[in-house]
Amino acid sequence: MKALLRIFRPSRKLVFIIVGVALLGGVSGGAALYIGKDKILGPSAEETNGLACTDVNLVTIKKQNRIWVRKYIKTEPTDGMTRVRTALRVAKAIYEAQKPDLVQVVVLDTNGPTLRSDIRGRAMGADVVYIPHPDPVLESEEAKTYTARYYDGTAASNGLFFGERIDLPEDEITTLNASFKDYSDCIDPIAVAATEGGEGGGKGKKGGKKGEAKEEKPAEGGESGEAPAEAPAAETAPAAGH
């Protein structure tokens, strides 16, 4: 029996290694709890780039040789700053792909309205406007490259957001943009349905009006009916009863 114990008795060096690994694991776990996971591993992808999103509606407006793109998207429930990050990321992705003169991205709740006539006020959980070259587009000294605003509360069951409306200063928006690791666009449900083929693709085409890109032709004199950059400023929040 004693001979068997001698055979299976671990060496002193092996014992030290095992104890050292156990202590290191305990210290690391304690440090993670005390300092915080983000301090050790860095911020999560959600905190850096925002959430995955789905297209709701895309409008392309051509006005006096300028192209303005307005995109409505929806995300899962999240906080206001994450909605802004998502909108900024998507706006940059749209610009990189199409090089329009102005990009506006509006973030809706999953239960929010899908008709553009209903998307206003507190239905807009976050709203970002990106103008790469503001003077030629708006011909105004007050025009900014970026504007971003959001409601800091969550959305109700009807998709309208609670809380105070926050307008971010441009330097903070610039800092957020610099932190992005990638500029990915949203998922287009029409394109996804088309790739499935068969009946799935057919249904996607038939019912896909709300996610399909739409070009608004200018009215007489070359003007289109509504300017994307002016829409957010003109909208007001609904009464508390909504």
Side-chain angles (χ1 to χ4, degrees):
M1 187 66 180
K2 289 182 179 181
L4 289 173
L5 289 175
R6 289 194 196 98
I7 293 173
F8 292 105
R9 184 170 59 188
S11 65
R12 184 175 298 178
K13 184 177 181 181
L14 180 59
V15 171
F16 284 146
I17 291 174
I18 294 173
V19 172
V21 170
L23 287 175
L24 182 61
V27 170
S28 300
L33 290 174
Y34 181 75
I35 300 174
K37 181 179 67 175
D38 292 347
K39 298 291 186 181
I40 297 175
L41 302 177
S44 65
E46 177 179 319
E47 291 176 340
T48 303
N49 295 328
L51 291 177
C53 52
T54 304
D55 290 351
V56 174
N57 199 303
L58 175 67
V59 179
T60 300
I61 300 174
K62 292 184 178 180
K63 178 179 180 180
Q64 295 181 343
N65 297 322
R66 299 165 183 163
I67 299 177
W68 294 354
V69 175
R70 176 187 291 169
K71 190 168 192 176
Y72 301 98
I73 65 175
K74 62 181 179 180
T75 69
E76 294 297 325
T78 186
D79 60 275
M81 282 300 296
T82 303
R83 292 193 294 271
V84 167
R85 287 189 182 93
T86 305
L88 285 170
R89 185 199 76 219
V90 173
K92 191 72 174 186
I94 292 172
Y95 176 74
E96 292 296 330
Q98 304 181 35
K99 296 295 189 293
D101 298 288
L102 181 146
V103 182
Q104 181 183 8
V105 178
V106 176
V107 182
L108 311 171
D109 184 65
T110 50
N111 297 321
T114 56
L115 294 177
R116 287 195 293 125
S117 58
D118 296 331
I119 299 175
R120 61 183 185 273
R122 290 189 174 270
M124 303 164 67
D127 175 25
V128 165
V129 175
Y130 174 39
I131 309 173
H133 310 289
D135 289 342
V137 175
L138 297 182
E139 298 175 355
S140 170
E141 294 181 357
E142 298 179 357
K144 299 178 181 179
T145 301
Y146 284 102
T147 58
R149 56 183 65 117
Y150 67 93
Y151 286 104
D152 64 354
T154 56
S157 58
N158 61 357
L160 300 183
F161 288 87
F162 292 103
E164 180 184 359
R165 198 187 81 172
I166 307 296
D167 293 85
L168 289 180
E170 193 167 12
D171 57 347
E172 186 171 349
I173 301 172
T174 302
T175 302
L176 288 175
N177 269 315
S179 68
F180 290 142
K181 298 185 182 301
D182 68 81
Y183 296 109
S184 57
D185 205 340
C186 296
I187 299 171
D188 183 353
I190 306 303
V192 171
T195 57
E196 292 177 354
E199 292 186 6
K203 289 180 180 178
K205 284 186 176 181
K206 183 177 179 181
K209 290 294 183 183
K210 75 175 182 178
E212 186 178 355
K214 178 183 178 183
E215 177 180 320
E216 291 188 354
K217 295 184 178 180
E220 293 184 8
E223 299 288 333
S224 64
E226 186 179 3
E230 298 172 358
E235 288 169 343
T236 57
H242 292 284

